[in-house]
């Protein structure tokens, strides 16, 4: 059965401006949430790592927050700590990054709460019957919230292929332990011949699995590796890359099972907003924002995270490719742009498994507002 995905294509006018259009979108998609006055509503968003400019702009959240407040809910903006070394690895620095990027409670009408606590240890164990996951470790304040809205910047991702609602749920809502649990199937392959001993990989390895050896080159201890993948992006010489002996499909399946665990903590449906704007090749954790691979497309909203992600991917693929960008030359409208940038990822990018385990439907009806 096809799920409904509401879509605003960014067209606006003096009579119906951006705020009015976003409000209409949220009202249409969120009418069945069943919010009760006093509900604590987690608005899960990525605040953007330091140096990133492509995250969802704070003022775009005002219509959503106003609508939640109008329903009697008490919304709060939230995210969880990262595994990698950066400004978002603990709550104090994470709060400061959010403030620097414009997420001001006095402007938006909702406070910022880092959901897994000061050091990323505040979590709740959620039991599910997954193929890989029997107990998922979810950021405590996201699990405790009465309602959940995921606000998602659609972009590429070096291990998942792309990031949207399902990644923001599965990976984004997990505690540090939960993130490790999902990443444990993947790890790096080290080519010492390409290593120049710069130490960049050592600096980002939160697990301490990489050190500079006596020869001045990186040494990898796979017993300590948690497979977070940050060394892939830190290495500029190609000495560290994905170990093809590991299984990206397993990683994607674990992430989808975590998304299911997050949604299981809520009594009713959740709302998912996909902002298909500044569609860049990599995650907003990268510390920089690369050139977009397609034009801005619009905002999609649905209570079905699979449908809203599938619709987002389809719209990106149908769009005109942009250059200069990371896209290889020769990519045409209709080609899969995410796979063109990340060819090692399974073709369905985990969406088939998400549908299989009951997270939603890949069939959708796109309703323009």
């Amino acid at each position: 059965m096809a799920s409904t995905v509401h879509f605003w294509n960014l067209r606006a006018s003096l009579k119906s401006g951006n705020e009015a259009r976003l409000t209409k979108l949220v009202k249409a998609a969120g009418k069945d949430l069943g919010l009760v006055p006093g509900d604590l509503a987690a608005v899960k968003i990525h605040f953007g790592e330091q140096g990133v400019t492509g995250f969802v702009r704070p003022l775009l959240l005002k219509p959503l927050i106003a609508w939640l407040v109008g329903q009697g809910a008490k919304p709060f903006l939230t995210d969880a700590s990262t595994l990698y070394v950066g400004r978002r690895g603990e709550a104090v620095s994470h709060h400061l990054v959010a403030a620097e990027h414009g997420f001001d409670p006095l402007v938006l009408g909702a406070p910022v709460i880092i959901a897994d606590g000061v050091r990323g240890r505040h979590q709740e164990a959620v039991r599910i019957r997954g193929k890989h996951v029997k107990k998922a470790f979810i950021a405590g304040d996201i699990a405790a919230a009465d309602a959940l809205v995921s606000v998602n910047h659609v972009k590429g991702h070096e291990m998942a292929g792309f990031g949207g609602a399902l990644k923001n749920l599965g990976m984004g809502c997990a505690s540090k332990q939960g993130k490790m649990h999902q990443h444990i199937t993947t790890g790096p392959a080290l080519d010492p011949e390409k290593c120049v001993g710069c130490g960049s990989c050592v600096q980002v390895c939160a697990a301490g699995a990489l050190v500079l050896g006596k020869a001045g080159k990186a040494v990898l201890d796979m017993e300590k590796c948690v497979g977070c993948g940050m060394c892939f992006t830190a290495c500029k010489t190609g000495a560290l890359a994905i170990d093809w002996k590991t299984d990206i499909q397993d990683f994607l399946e674990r992430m989808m099972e975590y998304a299911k665990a997050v949604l299981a903590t809520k009594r009713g449906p959740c709302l998912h907003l996909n902002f298909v704007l500044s569609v860049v090749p990599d995650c907003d954790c990268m510390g920089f924002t690369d050139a977009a691979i397609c034009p801005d497309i619009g905002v999609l909203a649905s209570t079905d995270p699979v449908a809203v992600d599938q619709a987002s991917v389809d719209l990106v693929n149908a769009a005109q490719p942009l250059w200069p960008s990371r896209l290889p030359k020769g990519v045409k409208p209709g080609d899969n742009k995410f796979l063109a940038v990340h060819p090692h990822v399974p073709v369905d990018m985990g969406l088939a498994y998400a549908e299989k385990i009951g997270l939603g439907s890949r069939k959708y009806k796109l309703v323009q507002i």
Side-chain angles (χ1 to χ4, degrees):
M1 184 175 179
S3 295
T4 299
V5 177
H6 296 272
F7 174 50
W8 172 43
N9 64 4
L10 303 181
R11 291 301 307 274
S13 67
L14 283 175
K15 291 184 178 180
S16 185
N18 294 20
E19 187 169 338
R21 293 279 186 159
L22 282 168
T23 299
K24 186 176 180 180
L25 179 75
V26 169
K27 282 183 177 179
K31 59 183 175 61
D32 296 324
L33 289 194
L35 293 170
V36 175
D39 274 355
L40 300 177
V43 178
K44 171 61 180 76
I45 190 166
H46 194 307
F47 297 115
E49 187 55 85
Q50 182 179 16
V52 169
T53 59
F55 53 86
V56 177
R57 296 190 298 277
L59 288 180
L60 292 173
L61 302 180
K62 289 196 74 173
L64 167 65
I65 293 169
W67 179 80
L68 288 169
V69 171
Q71 300 300 302
K74 298 178 180 179
F76 63 96
L77 302 171
T78 192
D79 198 359
S81 302
T82 61
L83 270 182
Y84 64 84
V85 176
R87 292 283 308 280
R88 296 166 52 248
E90 36 75 17
V92 175
S93 300
H94 202 157
H95 266 283
L96 289 173
V97 169
E100 290 165 8
H101 287 176
F103 294 92
D104 185 337
L106 297 179
V107 173
L108 298 178
V112 172
I113 298 174
I114 304 306
D116 57 349
V118 172
R119 298 188 183 277
R121 297 172 187 165
H122 174 45
Q123 62 187 22
E124 183 171 323
V126 178
R127 294 189 179 276
I128 61 169
R129 295 180 178 179
K131 182 170 73 171
H132 306 279
V133 178
K134 308 303 179 186
K135 185 190 292 184
F137 300 98
I138 308 303
D141 289 334
I142 290 175
D146 301 300
L148 174 65
V149 178
S150 69
V151 174
N152 318 296
H153 174 212
V154 173
K155 67 277 180 188
H157 189 272
E158 58 274 14
M159 297 184 72
F162 87 104
L166 289 163
K167 184 176 184 299
N168 199 17
L169 291 170
M171 187 61 68
C173 293
S175 66
K176 281 183 181 288
Q177 185 176 353
K179 289 179 172 69
M180 290 174 66
H181 193 192
Q182 294 172 71
H183 276 301
I184 203 67
T185 61
T186 56
L190 174 61
D191 183 349
E193 296 299 318
K194 294 182 179 179
C195 179
V196 297
C198 69
S200 295
C201 61
V202 176
Q203 293 175 27
V204 301
C205 184
L210 284 159
V211 297
L212 289 180
K214 293 180 179 179
K217 296 195 174 189
V219 177
L220 172 64
D221 184 347
M222 280 303 297
E223 294 296 318
K224 293 182 179 180
C225 178
V226 299
C228 71
M230 289 310 299
C231 58
F232 302 155
T233 55
C235 181
K236 305 305 180 187
T237 64
L240 285 157
I242 290 173
D243 185 349
W244 300 114
K245 296 191 292 271
T246 63
D247 196 335
I248 301 296
Q249 180 65 29
D250 271 6
F251 162 72
L252 287 167
E253 290 180 3
R254 285 172 180 263
M255 188 171 74
M256 299 309 170
E257 290 180 10
Y258 258 76
K260 187 170 186 177
V262 171
L263 296 176
T265 66
K266 304 297 166 262
R267 66 170 182 266
C270 300
L271 179 61
H272 312 286
L273 272 69
N274 277 13
F275 286 78
V276 193
L277 313 172
S278 185
V279 183
V280 295
D282 295 309
C283 182
D284 290 336
C285 294
M286 293 293 288
F288 64 91
T289 297
D290 202 352
I293 60 176
C294 71
D296 288 350
I297 291 172
V299 187
L300 296 87
S302 178
T303 53
D304 183 334
V306 180
V308 78
D309 273 2
Q310 184 66 66
S312 299
V313 169
D314 291 345
L315 287 169
V316 168
N317 289 342
Q320 185 70 33
L322 291 182
W323 289 282
S325 72
R326 284 262 301 281
L327 282 178
K329 288 294 184 182
V331 173
K332 304 179 296 297
D335 293 343
N336 193 313
K337 296 176 178 64
F338 295 120
L339 294 182
V341 176
H342 303 293
H344 57 276
V345 176
V347 172
D348 67 281
M349 296 179 288
L351 291 171
Y353 187 73
E355 184 178 53
K356 179 180 178 180
I357 64 175
L359 278 170
S361 172
R362 296 178 73 186
K363 297 179 181 178
Y364 60 90
K365 178 184 178 183
L366 203 62
V367 177
Q368 292 205 36
I369 61 103

